[in-house]
Structures are given as C-alpha cells and as structure tokens.
C-alpha cells in the first residue's frame, strides 16, 4: 500500500468516529420557577439601578466628616485637611451619581473643606505673624465637637426604654359585679368634710345690721323695781345676758346713772368679794 493510500484510510477512519459530546450540567446557572436555565435569555432586561449597595448611611456632611476622622483615629483638634478632603470628595462623587439633590448639601461642605485647605497652603502674611490669627480649621472643629456631643446625647436618649417600642402597658379587663360595693367611711374623714362645709358656709354668710332703740331711763326704772323687792342683789344678777351685748351695755350705763344720782349703793365687804347692789334709802 502506498503512503498516500494509508493517509487516506486514516483520515476516513478519523471522520467516521464521532467525537464525545461535552458534559452538560443538569443544574444550570439559574432556576426559574424551579426549572434550571441552561442559557441566558436573549430578551432579559436589567434596569441600571436594579442593584444598589449602601456601605454607610450618614445624617449629613458633619456626620460623614466625623466618621472619616474617627475611623482613621485622626486628632480632631489637628485635622489633616488633605487626606480628609480627598476621602470626602470621593464619597461626594458617589452620592452625586445616584442622587444629585442629596449631594447639594455635601457639595457645600466640600467647598468649605477646599477653602480651608487652600488657606492653610498659603504662606502666612507679615501681619498674621505679628498678631495671633485663628486657625482656619477652628470653626470646623467647633462644629464637629458640638455635633458629636449632640449625637452622643441622642444615642443615650435612644437607649432609654420607649413606650410601644421596648415595652407595652398590659391591660386587664375585670368584669365588675352587678351589686355595688360602697367603701367604709372613716369618722375622721367625715369630720374633715363637715369642717370644710362649715368653713365654706362662714365665707358665704350674710351679716344683717339692724337698729335697736334702747332707753337708759327704762333700764334705770327696771333696776329700781328689782331692788325694791330685795334687800341686796348681786351685781351680776342685774344683767340679762340673753338680751345681747347692746342690752347689757345700756343696763350697765343705767346702773352707773343710778349710782351717780345716789339712788343705789354698790358695796363690797373685802377685796375680791362679791359685789352687791341695794337701794340707798332702804334700811340697813
């Protein structure tokens, strides 16, 4: 056999034997409704904002600055403006891509950081050397320290248990009996209530002032009639306390008038002894 014929036979044999098929993964690269997908769909649409990754959430520019400083253990009283500004601008670029309105507030702080950095790069003027010029970072440091204090205070307040967040008040419904039960009354409480009623009654009471005409001569005649039937009468027995203070006063004036006119005698045996009244013309 010629060499050409041998090569032809070998080529035919190679064509006749089929090559082994590649192994197919029965699992697939994804599953849809439980069925494996062996190839990527041609009509699949993925929105550009379908996947978003949030690494850190900040309340504002000061919160971001404080995070960058504390994370890298920078001295807040000596902030390295170059490093902090660079890291801050990287974050602002990411925010501006997704939310331009949110980035506006951060851009204002970025302008402030760049201004502070540029002022620190400028050589000091002769007038600044002679007088003590405030550090360009001083105002920013004050704002950061105040914000950090407020933030820590907010954390402490948030740690306090809050109603309907950390605990709830239990409510128990008790079926009341149809028969009313009255509490016992303490006598002291009853006395206090009565004194309170009297106090209020005195505050609202009305005083009526009336005019009463009393005659001294009539009371003088009355005293003489009392003395005519008795030898002696004690001084206190000549006064009728039931008539009131005005009657007692007029009666005493009448007694003085009788003594002035020497119609009666007022005697006393010794000091602190009872006082007696008698007619002046009656026998001893």
């Amino acid at each position: 056999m010629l060499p050409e014929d041998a090569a032809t036979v070998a080529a035919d044999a190679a064509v006749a034997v089929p090559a082994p098929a590649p192994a197919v993964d029965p699992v697939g690269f994804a599953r849809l409704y439980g069925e494996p997908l062996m190839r990527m769909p041609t009509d699949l649409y993925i929105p550009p904002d379908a996947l978003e990754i949030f690494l850190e959430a900040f309340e504002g520019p000061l919160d971001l600055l404080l995070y960058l400083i504390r994370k890298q253990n920078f001295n807040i009283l000596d902030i390295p403006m170059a490093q902090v500004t660079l890291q801050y601008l990287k974050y602002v670029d990411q925010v501006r891509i997704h939310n331009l309105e949110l980035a506006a507030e951060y851009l204002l702080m970025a302008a402030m950081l760049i201004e502070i950095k540029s002022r620190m790069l400028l050589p000091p003027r002769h007038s600044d050397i002679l007088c003590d010029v405030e550090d360009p970072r001083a105002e920013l440091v004050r704002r950061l320290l105040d914000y950090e204090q407020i933030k820590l205070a907010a954390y402490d307040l948030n740690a306090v248990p809050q109603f309907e967040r950390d605990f709830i008040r239990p409510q128990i419904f008790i079926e009341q009996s149809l028969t009313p039960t009255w509490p016992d009354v303490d006598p002291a409480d009853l006395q206090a209530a009565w004194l309170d009623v009297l106090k209020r009654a005195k505050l609202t009471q009305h005083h009526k002032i009336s005019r009463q005409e009393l005659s001294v001569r009539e009371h003088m005649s009355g005293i003489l009639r009392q003395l005519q039937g008795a030898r002696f009468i004690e001084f206190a027995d000549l006064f009728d306390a039931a008539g009131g203070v005005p009657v007692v006063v007029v009666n005493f004036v009448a007694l003085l008038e009788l003594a002035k006119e020497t119609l009666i005698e007022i005697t006393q045996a010794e000091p602190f002894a009872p006082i007696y009244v008698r007619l002046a013309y009656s026998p001893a």
Side-chain angles (χ1 to χ4, degrees):
M1 183 180 293
L2 296 175
E4 292 81 358
D5 297 336
T8 303
V9 172
D12 295 339
V15 173
V17 178
V24 178
D25 186 6
V27 178
F29 64 88
R31 285 182 175 271
L32 181 62
Y33 300 109
E35 298 295 331
L37 293 177
M38 301 305 176
R39 58 188 181 87
M40 181 68 70
T42 57
D43 57 347
L44 182 63
Y45 172 72
I46 301 178
D49 56 348
L51 179 63
E52 292 186 6
I53 301 176
F54 297 92
L55 299 179
E56 293 291 341
F58 302 103
E59 298 295 333
L62 289 177
D63 197 17
L64 173 59
L65 275 179
L66 191 62
Y67 170 79
L68 296 175
I69 293 171
R70 294 305 186 192
K71 182 180 180 181
Q72 303 180 71
N73 293 325
F74 290 149
N75 185 5
I76 197 171
L77 301 178
D78 187 15
I79 304 174
M81 296 304 302
Q83 301 181 34
V84 173
T85 304
L86 181 61
Q87 297 175 11
Y88 184 88
L89 291 176
K90 289 182 179 179
Y91 180 84
V92 172
D93 290 339
Q94 295 295 326
V95 174
R96 186 170 54 182
I97 294 174
H98 297 86
N99 193 340
L100 185 59
E101 295 181 358
L102 182 62
E105 186 178 2
Y106 289 86
L107 288 174
L108 181 61
M109 179 59 70
M112 180 179 177
L113 293 177
I114 295 172
E115 179 188 3
I116 296 175
K117 179 182 176 183
S118 61
R119 289 173 59 188
M120 294 180 64
L121 293 176
L122 293 176
R125 293 178 296 183
H126 181 68
S127 59
D128 296 340
I129 298 175
L130 296 178
C131 61
D132 189 9
V133 180
E134 187 180 21
D135 192 333
R137 301 169 294 180
E139 180 62 25
L140 179 62
V141 170
R142 281 194 293 267
R143 292 177 60 183
L144 287 173
L145 291 177
D146 292 342
Y147 176 78
E148 187 175 26
Q149 291 181 358
I150 296 174
K151 187 175 182 179
L152 293 177
Y155 284 152
D156 294 338
L157 289 176
N158 190 48
V160 177
Q162 297 183 12
F163 176 61
E164 293 186 351
R165 189 196 69 176
D166 303 317
F167 66 92
I168 59 174
R169 295 175 182 172
Q171 297 181 356
I172 302 176
F173 298 94
I174 301 176
E175 184 177 358
Q176 297 182 354
S177 176
L178 298 178
T179 304
T181 56
W182 307 104
D184 296 333
V185 179
D186 192 357
D189 296 336
L190 186 60
Q191 181 184 8
W194 168 244
L195 293 177
D196 184 64
V197 171
L198 287 180
K199 182 179 179 181
R200 287 187 281 111
K202 291 180 180 179
L203 292 176
T204 58
Q205 67 182 355
H206 300 280
H207 298 278
K208 185 177 180 181
I209 300 175
S210 60
R211 182 177 179 180
Q212 183 179 5
E213 295 183 0
L214 299 173
S215 175
V216 177
R217 290 295 178 182
E218 290 181 2
H219 283 76
M220 291 171 63
S221 300
I223 294 173
L224 292 175
R225 283 194 298 268
Q226 291 181 10
L227 293 175
Q228 285 178 358
R231 185 178 180 183
F232 291 96
I233 295 179
E234 191 175 350
F235 179 80
D237 294 339
L238 294 174
F239 299 96
D240 185 12
V245 176
V247 176
V248 173
V249 172
V250 173
N251 203 10
F252 180 68
V253 173
L255 188 65
L256 295 178
E257 288 291 335
L258 290 173
K260 179 180 177 182
E261 296 179 4
T262 66
L263 296 176
I264 62 173
E265 294 180 357
I266 302 174
T267 61
Q268 186 180 27
E270 58 184 0
F272 304 105
I275 299 174
Y276 294 96
V277 180
R278 69 177 182 179
L279 292 175
Y281 53 83
S282 61

